[in-house]
Amino acid sequence: MSRGTERAVMRNILVVVDMQKDFIDGSLGTKEAQAIVEPVIAKMKSFRKSDIYVTRDTHGENYLETAEGKKLPVVHCVKGTEGWQLHPEIEALAEPSHVIDKPTFGSLELMELLKKENEKEPLAIELAGLCTDICVVSNALLLKAAMPEISIRVDSSCCAGVTPASHQAAVLTMKMCQIETE
């Protein structure tokens, strides 16, 4: 291969956002969230386990007293509860060390971790999960802001929003911010 046509080999990373009981079929669950469980599992099986990172929305017992809890007064994802647990098949497909608890919509810890990984070798990052219009878009934008030159993609068929309309609005927002969507 001539020097001008060489392509950098990229490590493909999958970020699975908040596939937890409370968002699937618990206190904030929807039929759209339930419908993406199997596609997310299938997608995870197409990645090496070491290349999958999973976020877990994590709140304390005082959730209703927090800024988020005052705007969304539905107790969910309280650490240690059944609703906080990842879907069992999704949890089984993830390295325990790659599960990141996050106290808010976007994870600074995930962003910093992947930024360091990208410094070691070039990454291409794909996101899937819940909810498109809150945590998926927040994490996609954090990753794009931290690493503007790498490919950040969202598989919208493996995401669900609070409503179908807000899902579509989030997909459009990400496209406008140069995040690839499919």
Side-chain angles (χ1 to χ4, degrees):
M1 202 180 272
S2 73
R3 192 165 194 203
T5 59
E6 289 179 16
R7 293 180 58 171
V9 175
M10 293 196 198
R11 181 174 161 209
N12 292 310
I13 299 293
L14 177 64
V15 174
V16 177
V17 179
D18 298 356
M19 292 294 294
Q20 296 162 265
K21 179 163 182 50
D22 273 346
F23 291 127
I24 297 168
D25 60 5
S27 61
L28 292 171
T30 64
K31 67 182 189 321
E32 292 84 9
Q34 293 167 33
I36 70 161
V37 171
E38 290 306 318
V40 169
I41 290 167
K43 181 168 287 290
M44 290 178 78
K45 288 179 178 177
S46 73
F47 281 77
R48 292 183 313 189
K49 194 171 188 175
S50 61
D51 292 336
I52 299 171
Y53 292 82
V54 177
T55 66
R56 187 167 47 193
D57 198 43
T58 302
H59 300 296
E61 296 289 335
N62 69 333
Y63 171 75
L64 293 176
E65 299 164 24
T66 67
E68 179 185 330
K70 290 175 183 170
K71 292 187 187 320
L72 176 63
V74 177
V75 175
H76 65 282
C77 299
V78 173
K79 187 172 187 170
T81 65
E82 182 183 356
W84 175 73
Q85 300 299 322
L86 292 167
H87 184 281
E89 288 179 75
I90 288 168
E91 185 172 25
L93 292 169
E95 301 265 358
S97 64
H98 287 193
V99 176
I100 298 167
D101 291 342
K102 60 180 189 55
T104 189
F105 307 135
S107 174
L108 294 173
E109 180 182 349
L110 173 70
M111 182 265 298
E112 289 294 338
L113 190 151
L114 292 178
K115 191 174 172 188
K116 286 179 185 165
E117 289 296 312
N118 188 58
E119 290 167 2
K120 294 178 196 170
E121 64 182 310
L123 301 181
I125 302 172
E126 182 171 357
L127 292 92
L130 301 168
C131 292
T132 320
D133 44 343
I134 302 174
C135 295
V136 174
V137 69
S138 295
N139 283 288
L141 290 170
L142 273 173
L143 292 167
K144 190 66 173 172
M147 298 170 281
E149 297 301 320
I150 75 166
S151 171
I152 309 283
R153 280 183 353 99
V154 173
D155 184 344
S156 62
S157 71
C158 287
C159 294
V162 173
T163 67
S166 62
H167 166 81
Q168 289 302 321
V171 169
L172 179 59
T173 296
M174 289 186 279
K175 282 182 184 178
M176 298 302 293
C177 293
Q178 300 178 357
I179 294 164
E180 301 166 41
T181 59
E182 66 174 57

